[in-house]
Amino acid sequence: MVPEAEFASYYGRPIIKAPSWSATDIAGYFFLGGLAGAGSVLAAGAQLTGRGSTATAMKVSSLGAVSLAAAALIHDLGVPSRFPNMLRVLKPTSPMSVGSWLLAAYGPAAGAAAVCATTGRLPRIGAVATGAAAVFGPAVASYTAVLAADTAVPAWHGAHRELPYVFTASATAAASGMALVAGPVRESAPARCAAVAAAMAEATAVRAAEKRLGMVAETYRQGRAGQLMRCARWLTAAGAAGAAALGGRSRPAAVAGGLAMLAGSACTRFGIFAAGIASAEDPKYTVVPQRSDTPPDTPLDARSEAPTCGPHDHQES
């Protein structure tokens, strides 16, 4: 019998170049951007339904989250001037360019909404800013999934259809957790419902992504990424269950459930980031899926000339 082939590359180097992004900066940016964007949506809903304390708390948390997210992105870029330079042009085909413009539009709106809510001044401007932040919020929360999927990294690009749903559900989980932590118990009913819905949606989307990835899904279950994804699953489920069962009656239970949701969302983002790096560093996750996707009647010469990277093999910084 012929022994199984060992997948390697010349001199032991990976076939594709792993992203040079810092895990702390970029995975943190993914998490904080999601918290900010989804938080603005919850803030607008709380304001429309007369939950003023929760609305103010979510506006302040969104401003803080997007400020930290922008700082993390600029820190990873290395040179602060690179961020304003990206605003010189708008390139619709570049997720990084579109994301830069989203942050530039969303940040001032979130800031104005938070300032007006905390000072009590200019309520009309505050209402307009709250609505604008809620409009941009979903895109801010989910565009980072497109940014990650628009690469040749197997664990990200292979799940390009499901990843935006995972990020959106994870962002909603984080925002509902923040609402449970920062808002009063009497106003927590929408946040508790959102927490349960987000937990279910995230679990479903992650399973769908792993099913589509096939063998590449191993990177989501093994090593550091596997540990983080398991923690995310348990923390999100426990937080949602605790908030739904006791969060409406007990302030400590609401806070505990909210903190678990926040931690679970952070673990999801860091786990997905770690899975992507692991899939880029191991040649088999690039080679095997391409071989399995090659039609059986394709000539051997054509198979040998097949590209090792997809069309989106660039890495933006």
Side-chain angles (χ1 to χ4, degrees), residues 23-24 219-231 267 270-275 278:
T24 301
T219 58
Y220 285 82
R221 305 186 186 114
Q222 300 174 355
R224 176 175 173 79
Q227 295 176 350
L228 288 168
M229 295 302 290
R230 284 190 293 273
C231 288
C267 287
F270 278 83
I272 291 174
F273 186 90

Side-chain angles (χ1 to χ4, degrees), residues 142-221:
S142 59
Y143 98 89
T144 48
V146 181
L147 175 64
D150 191 38
T151 64
V153 176
W156 298 341
H157 185 70
H160 66 278
R161 294 184 179 179
E162 292 81 12
L163 213 56
Y165 295 100
V166 175
F167 274 43
T168 301
S170 177
T172 305
S176 60
M178 180 61 73
L180 289 168
V181 171
V185 172
R186 66 178 183 277
E187 298 179 357
S188 66
R192 286 183 279 117
C193 293
V196 174
M200 296 175 61
E202 182 178 340
T204 302
V206 170
R207 284 196 298 269
E210 291 181 349
K211 182 178 179 180
R212 180 182 297 276
L213 286 170
M215 68 162 293
V216 182
E218 295 173 357
T219 58
Y220 285 82
R221 305 186 186 114

Side-chain angles (χ1 to χ4, degrees), residues 105-116:
Y106 170 80
V115 170
C116 292

Side-chain angles (χ1 to χ4, degrees), residues 21-38:
W21 301 331
S22 164
T24 301
D25 288 338
I26 299 305
Y29 170 64
F30 289 172
F31 166 69
L32 292 168
L35 172 60

Side-chain angles (χ1 to χ4, degrees), residues 87-166:
L87 301 177
R88 292 182 299 176
V89 295
L90 173 60
K91 188 177 180 182
T93 57
S94 169
M96 181 65 79
S97 176
V98 173
S100 300
W101 279 95
L102 279 174
L103 285 177
Y106 170 80
V115 170
C116 292
T118 54
T119 62
R121 298 182 178 181
L122 304 174
R124 292 185 178 180
I125 294 179
V128 173
T130 299
V135 169
F136 290 119
V140 173
S142 59
Y143 98 89
T144 48
V146 181
L147 175 64
D150 191 38
T151 64
V153 176
W156 298 341
H157 185 70
H160 66 278
R161 294 184 179 179
E162 292 81 12
L163 213 56
Y165 295 100
V166 175

Side-chain angles (χ1 to χ4, degrees), residues 34-77:
L35 172 60
S40 291
V41 177
L42 289 186
Q47 181 168 318
L48 289 174
T49 57
R51 295 175 169 84
S53 298
T54 299
T56 300
M58 294 308 297
K59 292 174 186 178
V60 173
S61 72
S62 291
L63 175 59
V66 75
S67 299
L68 291 174
L73 177 61
I74 292 173
H75 183 265
D76 186 74
L77 290 174

